[in-house]
Amino acid sequence: MMIFQAVVGCLSVLLEESENWPRLLENDGLIPLIDLLGPPPAFIKEREKDRLNAYLERQKAENDNKTGKQEREDSDRAKNPKGLRVVVPGQGGQDTSENAPTVQEPHVEEDLSSFVSCTSLNTAWKAILSLQPKACAAKCLYRLAQSERCCELMDERYATHRLVAILQGIMAESAGDGGKKGKKGKKKGLKLEPEQEDAVTSVTGCLKFLATSNPNRYRIAQLGAVPVLQNLHENADRLMLRRNAQILLTSVAMLSENSEILKKCGLGEEFAVPVPMTLTRDERLQAHEEFGSFPTVTKEAADGVSKEGVESTSLEQKT
């Protein structure tokens, strides 16, 4: 993990210059950064299971063919060290020497990088436990998230799920003293160590850019990040943290499917949106795959929803 931390720390400095962003993408550097955040959501492993098993079986067959071919070549060389042309009766004069034409091996188009459930770090998911490399990766992604293309690639690897998990983990560690009241009944600030505070700033900053899309607004709410963001908005000592939390809460409140969660969390009226947006049909199907149920729109929120949105809701409920 120390090597990861050192390398990603250098990257975070280099990525301060936006001219280095395309170079990172050209060299497939974004995937390892996302994988450093931790494992993807559980449903990904189940969705990719059959395809991954088929891929591994093809790889095994290909490796067995290569091994068998190498063993045959070694055996032929041992029998015919001078490489003389050998004609086997009944095979039409087939040339079995090392100069004989080789058979093209089947090409496997996929590689492990196409599977989100497989880590690109050449290490087990459970080995990525330390906060420091995760914080360094989040810092890099915070800068890269200013690029729309980078945000699209992060969505393909479900970065929002991973970032929210880090945020919740850090806040859970600090929960011991963060919510206690002093003698005069005044809440104390969050008890975050400097390292934790830097990590939370990077995570919320990255989420702030990802939350410009409705699917990520829905994910943030469904993953249980709203209470954490409320805590940061009300109690964080660092101004940037409070600002990031405020922007995220405002963004989450723009989606009508989040109304019930926001109401349960007691989000203030200052975050209310008169005419919230709704997920499209494709976005709702994706949400169903991720969370196991179709998003619902409350009657109050549905008053401002477009006709197309209401029709897609009714269709999915019948399904």
Side-chain angles (χ1 to χ4, degrees):
M1 287 298 109
M2 293 298 293
I3 296 176
F4 285 137
Q5 182 180 339
V7 171
V8 180
C10 292
L11 273 177
S12 67
V13 176
L14 293 172
L15 292 175
E16 291 178 0
E17 301 294 334
S18 59
E19 63 185 20
N20 289 322
W21 299 354
R23 296 170 185 166
L24 183 82
L25 296 179
E26 290 168 5
N27 291 280
D28 297 326
L30 187 63
I31 293 176
L33 287 176
I34 298 172
D35 285 349
L36 261 178
L37 300 176
F43 80 91
I44 288 293
K45 185 176 181 180
E46 184 63 27
R47 187 179 71 182
E48 294 185 343
K49 181 175 64 176
D50 293 339
R51 190 164 64 94
L52 180 58
N53 288 338
Y55 166 80
L56 294 175
E57 288 176 4
R58 289 196 303 270
Q59 286 289 88
K60 184 178 183 301
E62 188 179 62
N63 291 335
D64 289 345
N65 288 338
K66 289 180 180 178
T67 302
K69 179 183 176 183
Q70 185 63 45
E71 290 175 352
R72 289 192 297 272
E73 290 178 352
D74 293 342
S75 177
D76 290 343
R77 289 192 185 95
K79 294 177 182 178
N80 186 16
K82 294 183 179 180
L84 298 176
R85 186 174 185 273
V86 179
V87 177
V88 181
Q91 295 187 4
Q94 181 181 355
D95 189 356
T96 60
S97 69
E98 61 181 5
N99 296 321
T102 58
V103 179
Q104 183 69 31
E105 296 289 345
H107 176 64
V108 180
E109 295 182 357
E110 289 182 310
D111 57 49
L112 283 178
S113 65
S114 65
F115 295 93
V116 180
S117 57
C118 296
T119 174
S120 61
L121 300 172
N122 208 19
T123 185
W125 288 117
K126 62 183 179 181
I128 311 172
L129 299 175
S130 173
L131 174 62
Q132 291 179 333
K134 292 181 179 182
C136 289
K139 187 175 183 179
C140 291
L141 294 173
Y142 184 7
R143 295 194 172 98
L144 292 168
Q146 298 175 60
S147 161
E148 184 177 351
R149 176 56 183 155
C150 288
C151 283
E152 292 174 357
L153 294 173
M154 290 182 206
D155 281 342
E156 291 176 8
R157 308 290 294 190
Y158 296 91
T160 299
H161 290 260
R162 310 184 201 213
L163 289 164
V164 170
I166 294 174
L167 178 62
Q168 291 172 325
I170 295 173
M171 296 299 289
E173 290 181 7
S174 66
D177 297 323
K180 291 183 179 179
K181 294 184 178 180
K183 293 181 179 179
K184 296 183 179 181
K186 185 178 180 181
K187 274 195 173 183
K188 296 181 179 180
L190 291 174
K191 299 299 180 181
L192 292 173
E193 299 295 331
E195 178 186 279
Q196 293 176 319
E197 201 168 39
D198 290 340
V200 172
T201 301
S202 297
V203 168
T204 54
C206 189
L207 286 172
K208 175 179 66 177
F209 290 108
L210 291 173
T212 56
S213 74
N214 283 339
N216 282 327
R217 289 169 177 150
Y218 185 75
R219 289 176 181 130
I220 291 169
Q222 290 297 314
L223 291 168
V226 172
V228 175
L229 294 173
Q230 283 180 285
N231 193 4
L232 288 171
H233 177 244
E234 296 171 2
N235 301 312
D237 294 327
R238 185 179 292 186
L239 176 61
M240 182 60 74
L241 263 181
R242 296 199 303 274
R243 185 177 298 168
N244 285 349
Q246 181 184 32
I247 292 172
L248 278 167
L249 289 171
T250 302
S251 187
V252 168
M254 291 180 181
L255 194 65
S256 62
E257 286 85 351
N258 292 334
S259 300
E260 285 297 324
I261 290 178
L262 300 179
K263 189 183 296 184
K264 290 178 182 178
C265 293
L267 198 65
E269 294 182 359
E270 64 271 20
F271 292 101
V273 178
V275 184
M277 295 181 285
T278 61
L279 297 172
T280 64
R281 177 177 174 80
D282 289 341
E283 290 169 348
R284 295 169 70 78
L285 292 173
Q286 174 65 28
H288 177 264
E289 181 186 15
E290 293 184 30
F291 299 101
S293 61
F294 282 113
T296 57
V297 182
T298 61
K299 184 179 182 302
E300 293 80 1
D303 290 340
V305 178
S306 66
K307 182 179 180 182
E308 179 183 357
V310 175
E311 289 176 350
S312 66
T313 303
S314 302
L315 179 60
E316 288 159 5
Q317 288 175 343
K318 291 179 181 178
T319 305

